[in-house]
Amino acid sequence: CCCCGCFYCCGSCCDKFRDPPEGTKTIKELHEDCKDWKTGDLILERSPDTLGNNLVKATSNTPWTHCGIVWVDRNTNIVNFIEITLTLDYHVAPVGEHYEKELAKEKTEQRYMAHRPLEQTLTDEQLAKFEEGMDALKYKPYDESAAQFGAGCDCCDCLPFCGEDCCGCGTKSKAQRLEELFCSELVAELLQRCGIMKDDFITDEIVPADLHEGHEDKWLNKGYSYGKMTYYSPNV
């Protein structure tokens, strides 16, 4: 097995993603930086090594095992993190408070996160559509099925039991796909509803790795761009 403890991959991806890169900032700096974040900014997380997390890293060749999106409440100006998880389902929390707790959990040496800014400011109309999407999705349960793993296996995209079926034999309707959500699917739905993501992109075919630098061409609409990542960790 490789040094991360994963018996299911060669280890090439695990070693290089175990620690945050040079220049990673502190959680104290995150508290200050997040005051300038905007609705539509992306947040990605590297969680401790488990079977599930290692499978995600192995199939995507990135460190990311979870993701969410920033929403700035226009009434309070509070900068929030939106996510969906197995334990919390749909969840909204102030960014600073959330990560002060989240990154202080056990195995902190394996935890870090990154913020990737949207380089455009959404219009009032787009913000309203984003918030309408929040209202439409906030009661959806977390998707525990193998759909997440299938979304990351491009080589399996033609198989109806693993990912979206390109031949139509196992393709679900939009309504069926939205009965349950996993983390990157929630992010994709909100991006699509406000016009950042291409309308024809199937939202349950996106994984956290697709939000990484240089991976956005297949889903990002023209006229939009995301900047470089800023990393944060409790261990710097």
Side-chain angles (χ1 to χ4, degrees):
C1 81
C2 62
C3 74
C4 76
C6 172
F7 290 87
Y8 299 89
C9 68
C10 65
S12 61
C13 64
C14 301
D15 290 352
K16 66 182 179 181
F17 296 141
R18 186 177 180 89
D19 300 314
E22 290 186 16
T24 295
K25 293 187 172 185
T26 66
I27 302 305
K28 182 178 180 180
E29 290 174 298
L30 183 152
H31 272 277
E32 191 62 31
D33 290 353
C34 74
K35 295 176 182 178
D36 296 323
W37 295 0
K38 306 184 304 298
T39 297
D41 289 1
L42 303 173
I43 294 178
L44 295 124
E45 297 179 13
R46 196 279 190 202
S47 301
D49 296 316
T50 63
L51 171 58
N53 286 341
N54 286 336
L55 285 171
V56 171
K57 295 196 293 290
T59 57
S60 67
N61 197 29
T62 70
W64 310 121
T65 57
H66 182 59
C67 65
I69 192 166
V70 173
W71 167 61
V72 180
D73 188 324
R74 291 188 283 175
N75 295 317
T76 64
N77 289 323
I78 293 175
V79 181
N80 295 287
F81 173 58
I82 302 175
E83 65 175 342
I84 190 167
T85 70
L86 177 61
T87 55
L88 295 173
D89 283 326
Y90 180 94
H91 177 65
V92 180
V95 169
E97 294 176 17
H98 174 79
Y99 279 105
E100 191 167 21
K101 296 176 182 177
E102 181 65 26
L103 294 179
K105 290 181 178 179
E106 63 179 1
K107 298 183 179 179
T108 57
E109 75 281 357
Q110 297 179 13
R111 291 181 183 271
Y112 57 88
M113 53 84 68
H115 165 255
R116 193 172 183 205
L118 176 66
E119 295 188 319
Q120 293 74 33
T121 299
L122 298 181
T123 64
D124 287 343
E125 181 181 0
Q126 287 177 301
L127 291 171
K129 290 180 178 179
F130 186 100
E131 291 165 358
E132 288 170 7
M134 291 173 58
D135 287 339
L137 301 172
K138 63 184 178 182
Y139 296 117
K140 301 292 183 180
Y142 182 76
D143 185 352
E144 299 181 58
S145 74
Q148 305 174 57
F149 183 64
C153 295
D154 291 341
C155 61
C156 298
D157 281 350
C158 289
L159 300 178
F161 56 83
C162 191
E164 188 64 25
D165 181 282
C166 68
C167 308
C169 297
T171 304
K172 294 180 179 179
S173 68
K174 177 81 168 179
Q176 289 173 319
R177 292 199 302 270
L178 291 181
E179 289 177 358
E180 298 177 317
L181 300 169
F182 50 87
C183 65
S184 48
E185 184 180 10
L186 171 64
V187 171
E189 276 294 321
L190 292 172
L191 291 175
Q192 195 170 72
R193 289 169 189 239
C194 67
I196 298 172
M197 179 175 284
K198 296 174 181 177
D199 286 339
D200 59 354
F201 194 88
I202 299 172
T203 55
D204 71 349
E205 282 294 290
I206 197 165
V207 293
D210 293 319
L211 308 179
H212 192 69
E213 291 177 10
H215 292 205
E216 65 270 22
D217 286 350
K218 67 179 181 180
W219 59 263
L220 190 65
N221 263 325
K222 291 182 179 179
Y224 295 96
S225 57
Y226 278 91
K228 292 185 176 181
M229 292 179 167
T230 302
Y231 292 77
Y232 300 89
S233 170
N235 303 302
V236 294

